[in-house]
Amino acid sequence: MSLDPTDPAASVARAAKTCSNWGRWGEDDVLGTLNFLDEAKRREGAALVRRGASFSLSQRFDIDGPQKGWRRRTNPVHTMLDTGTDAALGNQGLPHGIGGADDVIAMPLQCSTQWDGLGHIFDHGKAWNGRPAEKVVTSDGDLVTGIEHMAAHVAGRGVLLDVGRAIGDDGELPDGFAITEDHLTATAEAHGVAVGRGDIVLVRTGQLTRVRRHGWGDYAGGPAPGLSFTCAGWLHGSEIAAVATDTWGFEVRPNEFEHAFQPLHQVAIPHIGLLIGEMWDLEALAEDCAADGVYDFFLTAAPLPITGAVGSPVNPIAVK
């Protein structure tokens, strides 16, 4: 997939035409590439469980997260409604000495480890499958492709492509490093793993490792390693079900054009119908994969079935 750094609009248009899955699963489709993740693929994923070792791939959800207010995205605000103090003081109005604690959380749905739903990004006013964006997402939410439709489907074979270890220095890629199809292929070969239809692919860049040494900095929205725009053809042709990275924005930042904003999103979500995960914590899993040489596993990563949402927090679990 080629790009002209001076003409992002033309590059996006070419990629959109070449990589379109519009109509592939019918005009009423709400799952996009999750259609590739079928029952056979889930059985294949489940068969990968050997040791029973499990890894949470989620960052924490708390006030000390990476968000800085871009597009009104804030870190989670966690508040207690009832506490042990309330119980000890006997002011909860409950009988025979029972007491309890309750809490509430307020947060944007894409403030930490999350999925981008199919209603998250549009191309020239068109949503996934060619639908008019204004008919899909309104003030009432995503009326067509709300992420609740995906809640039962995201479980199957996961594959880690640790590009940071395979290509980078000391396990990390520098900010602004564009991961190409060749890098992905070379990493898969180095790991002795194949990527194909229905897989959930996790791409580790190592940026999160660096952030944990030096602080969040511009992790949310700043420069980052990530997938090159030229990977659009690979994302389409490989027929993967989903892809997730350890970075804020999935694709390389700054983007590879003189003036652009997230052009790979503009192709991947509304045209390919691809489920994209961001800000995943792949560190413990990557350490284990490097130790035992096994880079595929069972992965379950259901979004919260929030009606009409265009994204969702997630606690992905990889089991080896």
Side-chain angles (χ1 to χ4, degrees):
M1 187 65 60
S2 62
L3 64 84
D4 178 352
T6 66
D7 194 352
S11 297
V12 167
R14 283 194 301 271
K17 182 177 180 180
T18 301
C19 299
S20 176
N21 279 327
W22 287 3
R24 184 168 186 167
W25 298 287
E27 62 181 15
D28 296 327
D29 180 68
V30 296
L31 294 179
T33 54
L34 279 182
N35 283 285
F36 292 131
L37 207 174
D38 56 16
E39 293 178 355
K41 199 68 187 183
R42 290 194 188 92
R43 290 194 300 270
E44 180 183 345
L48 295 171
V49 178
R50 302 287 191 223
R51 294 154 44 208
S54 63
F55 303 86
S56 169
L57 310 183
S58 179
Q59 296 192 41
R60 298 185 306 175
F61 285 77
D62 60 33
I63 198 66
D64 296 319
Q67 300 300 330
K68 300 188 295 183
W70 179 81
R71 296 192 73 183
R72 298 187 292 278
R73 289 184 184 174
T74 61
N75 293 310
V77 177
H78 178 221
T79 304
M80 299 306 300
L81 300 178
D82 267 318
T83 70
T85 301
D86 297 319
L89 292 174
N91 62 10
Q92 293 182 323
L94 299 173
H96 50 75
I98 189 172
D102 272 341
D103 44 7
V104 64
I105 192 166
M107 65 181 186
L109 298 184
Q110 295 169 325
C111 65
S112 188
T113 305
Q114 54 93 21
W115 285 120
D116 283 345
L118 293 182
H120 179 52
I121 297 291
F122 314 121
D123 179 22
H124 290 81
K126 296 294 184 182
W128 160 242
N129 228 18
R131 301 179 178 103
E134 71 275 12
K135 299 290 182 66
V136 174
V137 183
T138 73
S139 58
D140 291 322
D142 186 335
L143 307 178
V144 181
T145 52
I147 206 159
E148 71 272 15
H149 296 291
M150 297 180 165
H153 298 274
V154 194
R157 179 179 184 251
V159 178
L160 175 67
L161 296 183
D162 192 346
V163 186
R165 274 185 172 82
I167 305 295
D169 294 326
D170 295 324
E172 301 171 24
L173 301 175
D175 292 340
F177 185 96
I179 299 170
T180 65
E181 178 178 347
D182 287 344
H183 292 133
L184 295 173
T185 301
T187 299
E189 291 177 353
H191 295 341
V193 70
V195 173
R197 175 179 286 202
D199 287 335
I200 304 168
V201 177
L202 313 181
V203 179
R204 180 187 173 276
T205 70
Q207 189 191 33
L208 191 57
T209 307
R210 185 162 58 253
V211 163
R212 285 176 171 160
R213 283 200 309 272
H214 303 301
W216 287 118
D218 290 329
Y219 178 80
L227 268 65
S228 168
F229 181 82
T230 61
C231 286
W234 184 87
L235 294 170
H236 176 255
S238 61
E239 298 185 338
I240 60 174
V243 63
T245 70
D246 56 353
T247 67
W248 172 86
F250 160 68
E251 57 190 284
V252 63
R253 293 180 55 81
N255 303 134
E256 298 156 285
F257 298 91
E258 293 177 3
H259 181 68
F261 180 76
Q262 303 299 80
L264 187 54
H265 276 69
Q266 192 175 347
V267 176
I269 294 178
H271 292 282
I272 300 176
L274 183 64
L275 183 63
I276 293 175
E278 293 160 334
M279 294 183 281
W280 288 37
D281 184 351
L282 305 176
E283 295 307 292
L285 175 63
E287 289 284 348
D288 190 82
C289 291
D292 73 0
V294 177
Y295 285 83
D296 57 351
F297 36 83
F298 179 69
L299 178 66
T300 179
L304 298 179
I306 303 168
T307 303
V310 299
S312 172
V314 64
N315 177 27
I317 303 293
V319 188
K320 297 181 66 178

